[in-house]
Amino acid sequence: MIEVRVRRRDGVPVKIAVEGHAGYADPGEDIVCAGVSAITFGTANAVVRLTGLDPVKEMGKSGSLHFHLPAPGEGVPSDRLRDARLLLEGMLIALKALAASYPGHVAVDDPEAPEGEGGGVVDRVDRGRASAERRDSGISSG
């Protein structure tokens, strides 16, 4: 099983560890492993490219990945830190959705998640609701 452990400070993720193997299929054919890899490495690359911060503190040969962000006041401009944290929150939402779809293969331990963020992830987009929200807010869909 792939285990994702999250540690937060003041409600925001500062350390995230991703370890293990999904065991959904044979190596090279495991779509759950591929999904976790795409989400985590895509996020790591986005954080580096968009904020200039490098959140990856450890990358193991077995596929483990450890993220760490500095705390506010540790010399990183607050806007870059905010952007990096937002990207990591997006990664956690995607990993929680994957864990909901593949229980027994992915688990996310995020006990300090702010209210409403610990669960309730969806495995599809409610396009009708999204369209209504765009319409109500005056945003054009085309």
Side-chain angles (χ1 to χ4, degrees):
M1 176 179 300
I2 294 175
E3 295 180 358
V4 180
R5 291 184 318 281
V6 183
R7 295 301 162 252
R8 295 174 177 266
R9 183 177 300 140
D10 298 324
V12 295
V14 291
K15 292 183 181 181
I16 302 171
V18 182
E19 299 176 325
H21 297 281
Y24 184 77
D26 292 333
E29 297 178 9
D30 194 327
I31 62 170
V32 177
C33 181
V36 169
S37 294
I39 292 166
T40 57
F41 283 98
T43 300
N45 285 314
V47 171
V48 170
R49 186 85 181 254
L50 298 172
T51 71
L53 300 176
D54 184 358
V56 177
K57 296 304 171 206
E58 182 182 327
M59 188 168 20
K61 293 182 188 238
S62 66
S64 66
L65 194 59
H66 291 227
F67 294 86
H68 175 79
L69 288 179
E74 290 185 10
V76 176
S78 62
D79 60 331
R80 289 174 46 201
L81 196 53
R82 181 199 65 232
D83 292 347
R85 287 180 173 158
L86 182 62
L87 290 164
L88 290 180
E89 287 288 6
M91 177 184 80
L92 291 172
I93 289 168
L95 290 170
K96 288 174 184 179
L98 196 61
S101 295
Y102 295 95
H105 299 283
V106 181
V108 179
D109 178 24
D110 190 2
E112 300 166 343
E115 284 290 322
E117 292 186 20
V121 294
V122 296
D123 61 358
R124 63 178 177 79
V125 175
D126 185 342
R127 299 205 186 282
R129 187 181 76 199
S131 294
E133 288 174 358
R134 277 196 310 273
R135 182 185 63 245
D136 293 344
S137 68
I139 298 174
S140 170
S141 62

